Amino acid sequence: QMMPFPHGVPQRRQIIHSRPPMHNPQHVVVGRVNHNFAPHNQASAPARQVSHSHHGHNHSAQPAAPKPNVTMRIKTQSPDPSRGSGKRILCYGDSLTAGLLGNWCAKFEPYAKRLSHLLQSRVDHVGLCGWDTKQMVEAMDSPSSVDVKRVNWEPAGLRLALTRAKEENDPYDVVIIMAGTNNLTTMPASTNVANLVTLHSCAAEFGAKVVSVAVPRHKELLNEPKRHVMELKQAWEEVNQKLEAAVKAQQERGVDIVFLDVHTRALSRAGPDAAVLFSSDGLHFSASGSRAFADTLHDVGRSVNLWN
């Protein structure tokens, strides 16, 4: 029988709060994680790596972790309210939101950090590596969950994160949801989209503007795909078509939501250099890909008055 944590105690991580970089940030190390702030020029590292991909691998959530021996809080200065948008933003999703730089590395570069810099606003993120949309729906009220990278997120549940922000009298103005990559070819597109709609509705109930981000493409889909990835191409196209239609239906019901295919636009902007926006595994964003994603999201969001 496999032990719950064969590679050791998982790293504990709360929602990571990205604040725009300021001069002379003051770093404070304490004994227990309360808030993690993404460093300005440094990618953060989790404890262990477990492979997950677009190709339908099925990952189950790990049990809750015991208290780790060493935890850290990195705190930077608050944004200048006279410069920023004043919005509080939550980015919620899987390893693409976490900013994992590849299956076999131990570094993160979340797009939330760059977006915070661009908007001069607080941008938090939860990136549950290896999780599919079913797990996210089932864990909406979870105070703590361990993902396949053995990172313990607190809170992990979308509804609980939104509830806590409201209780702090600092509710989220915008919630960006990007999920559906894991088990893309094994979960029916209709099920995947139904789960995403549940997450959308949850965010909308708290009065937030909801951004439904299209499932990003794999590097192998940049050009005419070979036969062995045709299933992936079909699954990717179907889930995004159904997701866009579902968002339109939510809009017609009065939900404040927008569908944005950010990754396709970012790749188009890069032109012949689009391949450099992927990590070596072809699935995750590279560091430059994460920044390009944030830049594109910022510009497209501005065009639809998302940050107003």
Side-chain angles (χ1 to χ4, degrees):
Q1 183 176 0
M2 182 176 293
M3 297 298 291
F5 302 108
H7 301 294
V9 176
Q11 174 183 346
R12 181 184 294 271
R13 175 175 293 179
Q14 281 199 330
I15 293 178
I16 291 184
H17 306 291
S18 298
R19 295 184 187 272
M22 304 292 289
H23 296 295
N24 301 320
Q26 298 177 351
H27 297 279
V28 180
V29 180
V30 297
R32 187 178 186 278
V33 173
N34 292 317
H35 299 284
N36 286 333
F37 295 90
H40 175 32
N41 290 317
Q42 181 178 348
S44 53
R48 299 284 178 180
Q49 301 302 306
V50 182
S51 177
H52 61 287
S53 75
H54 257 287
H55 295 273
H57 294 181
N58 187 9
H59 302 283
S60 299
Q62 298 289 339
K67 183 178 179 180
N69 294 326
V70 179
T71 58
M72 181 179 292
R73 177 172 65 183
I74 301 176
K75 185 175 182 180
T76 60
Q77 296 179 10
S78 299
D80 182 347
S82 67
R83 296 176 56 198
S85 68
K87 301 289 186 182
R88 187 180 183 188
I89 299 164
L90 174 63
C91 306
Y92 192 87
D94 51 34
S95 60
L96 297 177
T97 296
L100 182 66
L101 295 179
N103 280 330
W104 303 110
C105 77
K107 294 182 179 180
F108 287 71
E109 186 67 26
Y111 75 85
K113 183 168 67 173
R114 172 68 175 170
L115 187 62
S116 174
H117 169 74
L118 294 169
L119 293 173
Q120 286 292 300
S121 293
R122 179 174 174 175
V123 182
D124 304 340
H125 76 276
V126 175
L128 296 152
C129 296
W131 278 39
D132 60 30
T133 55
K134 180 175 182 289
Q135 290 170 289
M136 293 178 189
V137 168
E138 291 174 345
M140 283 203 298
D141 297 303
S142 174
S144 174
S145 293
V146 180
D147 66 18
V148 301
K149 297 299 181 184
R150 304 195 179 281
V151 175
N152 188 27
W153 290 90
E154 294 184 344
L158 176 61
R159 183 158 50 210
L160 183 57
L162 294 166
T163 298
R164 289 185 178 178
K166 183 178 180 180
E167 290 172 347
E168 294 167 0
N169 293 318
D170 190 15
Y172 289 106
D173 300 287
V174 179
V175 176
I176 301 167
I177 297 174
M178 180 171 65
T181 290
N182 295 304
N183 294 341
L184 182 62
T185 59
T186 57
M187 180 182 290
S190 57
T191 302
N192 217 346
V193 170
N195 291 334
L196 287 167
V197 168
T198 299
L199 297 175
H200 299 164
S201 299
C202 173
E205 288 174 1
F206 284 81
K209 291 183 178 180
V210 184
V211 182
S212 175
V213 179
V215 176
R217 71 178 68 201
H218 195 281
K219 183 178 178 180
E220 293 191 54
L221 302 183
L222 283 179
N223 302 309
E224 187 62 30
K226 299 178 181 179
R227 182 175 298 180
H228 74 282
V229 293
M230 284 303 297
E231 180 186 7
L232 174 61
K233 179 177 184 292
Q234 293 168 358
W236 173 75
E237 289 177 342
E238 182 182 8
V239 75
N240 280 329
Q241 289 169 358
K242 289 183 180 295
L243 180 57
E244 185 173 15
V247 168
K248 183 177 180 180
Q250 287 186 289
Q251 290 172 335
E252 292 172 350
R253 294 196 299 271
V255 177
D256 190 359
I257 186 171
V258 61
F259 174 84
L260 299 178
D261 189 350
V262 179
H263 197 223
T264 295
R265 296 195 188 198
L267 294 172
S268 177
R269 283 181 168 190
D273 297 323
V276 304
L277 302 186
F278 292 91
S279 68
S280 59
D281 64 14
L283 165 64
H284 297 94
F285 303 154
S286 63
S288 61
S290 177
R291 291 190 293 270
F293 184 91
D295 290 345
T296 305
L297 175 58
H298 170 262
D299 294 346
V300 174
R302 185 170 54 187
S303 72
V304 296
N305 299 318
L306 188 60
W307 318 123
N308 294 345

